[in-house]
Amino acid sequence: MKVLIADKFPDKYVEKLKEHELDVIYDPSLGENDLVNAAEDVDMLVVRSTKVNEQAILNAKKLNLIVRAGAGVNNINIAAANKKGIYVANCPGMNSIAVAELAIGLMISLDRKIPDNVIDFRNGVWNKAGYSKAEGLHGKTVAIIGYGNIGKEFAKRAISFGMNVYVKDITRIEGYGVKDFSEFDKMLPIADVVSIHLPATSQTKHLFDDKMFSYMKEGAYLINTSRADIIDEDALIRAVKEKKIRVALDVFSEEPEGKKGEVKSKLQGVDGIYITHHIGASTEQAQNAVAEETVRIILDYIESGVIAHWVNKAKKTDSHYQLVVKHYDKPGVLASVLDVIKQDDINIEEVENTIFDGGLVATCTMKLKQPCKDEMLNLIKNNPNVITISHVGL
Ligand code: 3PG
């Protein structure tokens, strides 16, 4: 089985995969466009921020699993993967502490203007008078937007600073087509610091727009270590200029694809914005934890067929009926049940057959798109190897 690792990945974990007799190709230099050819002939693909676009997915002949060695999966064209039945998995929680640590660092940097201190010193400017005006963070109010793994780690650290912590969790409803962006009008006006910890989805895109900035306090701090898409950068520039909002970002819209080179952004020339180089997850500790989880996902899948952290599994299906058939575990019994369902032209959306201890009896749960007619249910019931059936609407 061929595994392509198309991003920086610790050697120790490349070797671990090789020990399991996988044909591992490790090439961190590959970029988005290279994947079209490089992934053509592989079974599994591991990436960090390298984009996996539609063309790469369409061109891949054997690709079965893409593992995002990190949390956010917005660099992978999941819609294209869905069309070809390619599993996409991620490693949630493995780099949360690293990201939270950076967000805390950015918060202190904003309060003490640490980057400006350093730049001035390097330029031969001494300004103790100017830089001695920080307010301090103790007793200040922080609004954490997104209360998943990273938001929780940030909260723990903010509480230990003696800050008042408010959270707004919208991740639980992701994928259900529901927007719940209420309460921002109450929370943002009292927040001295706002820290964003959200995934990039159609629901969070440009969540921070002119309206959201209008709720924020004059001079408040905004930190974003999650995804660039969540902030409308033109609205951000207006808020910085008009409301003196001070900002620290680890992500921005024109982030270069490569790991080194030039960088250009409309945010560069704006006073009051600090930007780091998308390094939130890039500590040795976090990268090892993510790599370990990536290896676990791949090996578990090979051994058990189960995908851990499978992100493109349908959150809800079109099934409105459930049929449970308890039957003797003999060859052909399940096939005959399925045959009856097929005669009725019913689509089975999900199926799980589990065997009771001892191996004599099994129970099969099917989620159906349409209901079974009574005569079909009777046919199933009359099978001498079927013990009981239950058919309900969901
Ligand atoms: C993540 O989603 O895990 C972080 O943004 C890390 O991205 P990186 O692996 O490219 O550093």
Side-chain angles (χ1 to χ4, degrees):
M1 223 181 271
K2 259 193 197 165
V3 182
L4 171 63
I5 305 175
D7 239 311
K8 200 168 159 280
F9 202 74
D11 289 343
K12 180 179 155 195
Y13 295 95
V14 175
E15 291 312 312
K16 268 201 176 175
L17 286 172
K18 286 186 181 163
E19 278 164 24
H20 287 81
E21 289 175 20
L22 290 165
D23 179 3
V24 183
I25 308 154
Y26 175 45
D27 189 350
S29 72
L30 294 173
E32 177 179 0
N33 295 330
D34 306 317
L35 283 187
V36 179
N37 290 324
E40 187 176 355
D41 195 27
V42 303
D43 302 274
M44 299 184 195
L45 172 63
V46 176
V47 286
R48 288 181 54 173
S49 288
T50 300
K51 284 201 176 108
V52 186
N53 64 25
E54 184 173 21
Q55 217 194 334
I57 289 175
L58 290 180
N59 204 47
K61 296 197 174 66
K62 292 158 58 190
L63 192 58
N64 187 32
L65 169 63
I66 303 170
V67 184
R68 167 47 164 118
V73 287
N74 58 308
N75 55 319
I76 298 166
N77 191 321
I78 292 187
N82 287 344
K83 282 187 207 149
K84 289 186 76 175
I86 297 170
Y87 300 105
V88 178
N90 69 345
C91 303
M94 296 297 135
N95 53 29
S96 312
I97 290 176
V99 179
E101 284 175 352
L102 180 71
I104 292 286
L106 293 174
M107 178 170 69
I108 300 171
S109 295
L110 284 168
D111 195 48
R112 297 296 187 97
K113 300 194 172 158
I114 296 172
D116 302 300
N117 273 259
V118 175
I119 292 167
D120 273 355
F121 181 77
R122 288 212 174 126
N123 290 329
V125 175
W126 184 247
N127 188 8
K128 183 170 163 78
Y131 293 128
S132 299
K133 292 175 183 160
E135 278 224 37
L137 296 165
H138 184 85
K140 296 280 168 176
T141 296
V142 56
I144 301 174
I145 316 297
Y147 200 51
N149 294 314
I150 301 170
K152 289 190 179 86
E153 293 297 339
F154 183 89
K156 279 193 228 165
R157 287 157 180 78
I159 288 166
S160 75
F161 280 20
M163 301 181 81
N164 305 312
V165 177
Y166 287 77
V167 302
K168 172 79 180 151
D169 185 15
I170 65 170
T171 51
R172 274 176 303 163
I173 56 164
E174 286 301 324
Y176 291 91
V178 185
K179 269 188 198 269
D180 173 18
F181 295 150
S182 59
E183 296 163 17
F184 284 124
D185 57 334
K186 313 237 168 10
M187 187 160 78
L188 295 182
I190 59 165
D192 303 293
V193 181
V194 177
S195 192
I196 305 174
H197 301 285
L198 292 171
T201 67
S202 52
Q203 286 131 302
T204 60
K205 188 173 169 67
H206 287 187
L207 169 66
F208 274 76
D209 56 6
D210 283 313
K211 189 164 180 160
M212 288 285 276
F213 288 119
S214 77
Y215 296 144
M216 283 182 69
K217 257 188 184 179
E218 289 263 332
Y221 306 156
L222 177 70
I223 299 154
N224 185 14
T225 50
S226 58
R227 284 295 178 264
D229 248 16
I230 291 155
I231 295 181
D232 171 348
E233 289 181 353
D234 292 321
L236 176 78
I237 293 171
R238 284 191 284 277
V240 169
K241 291 190 173 153
E242 288 158 23
K243 295 191 77 172
K244 304 281 171 263
I245 297 216
R246 299 196 41 242
V247 182
L249 308 173
D250 190 40
V251 284
F252 60 99
S253 65
E254 288 145 296
E255 182 177 328
E257 194 196 348
K259 309 276 180 281
K260 267 185 166 191
E262 264 189 63
V263 59
K264 281 210 167 63
S265 158
K266 59 183 157 205
L267 305 175
Q268 265 160 336
V270 188
D271 261 359
I273 303 186
Y274 298 148
I275 300 199
T276 49
H277 300 218
H278 197 160
I279 51 161
S282 299
T283 64
E284 204 67 20
Q285 296 171 344
Q287 291 181 72
N288 283 333
V290 161
E292 177 129 19
E293 186 69 344
T294 300
V295 170
R296 182 182 81 84
I297 292 169
I298 292 175
L299 298 183
D300 272 10
Y301 172 60
I302 293 171
E303 277 157 26
S304 68
V306 175
I307 304 276
H309 312 305
W310 177 15
V311 299
N312 58 338
K313 177 181 173 182
K315 303 221 170 19
K316 55 179 183 171
T317 67
D318 275 349
S319 45
H320 300 296
Y321 301 89
Q322 178 175 282
L323 177 64
V324 181
V325 180
K326 205 182 277 175
H327 60 93
Y328 290 109
D329 185 36
K330 292 182 184 169
V333 180
L334 207 48
S336 66
V337 171
L338 296 179
D339 205 40
V340 174
I341 295 171
K342 180 182 147 208
Q343 283 173 43
D344 218 1
D345 204 22
I346 288 170
N347 197 29
I348 303 174
E349 297 264 308
E350 288 170 78
V351 60
E352 191 179 3
N353 192 49
T354 315
I355 302 186
F356 282 79
D357 215 3
L360 283 180
V361 176
T363 180
C364 181
T365 303
M366 286 164 268
K367 301 273 193 297
L368 312 174
K369 214 164 166 177
Q370 301 91 6
C372 281
K373 292 193 195 82
D374 283 346
E375 58 262 41
M376 296 300 165
L377 292 174
N378 284 334
L379 271 178
I380 297 172
K381 231 188 273 176
N382 292 337
N383 182 328
N385 284 312
V386 168
I387 304 166
T388 55
I389 66 166
S390 119
H391 179 251
V392 292
L394 296 174

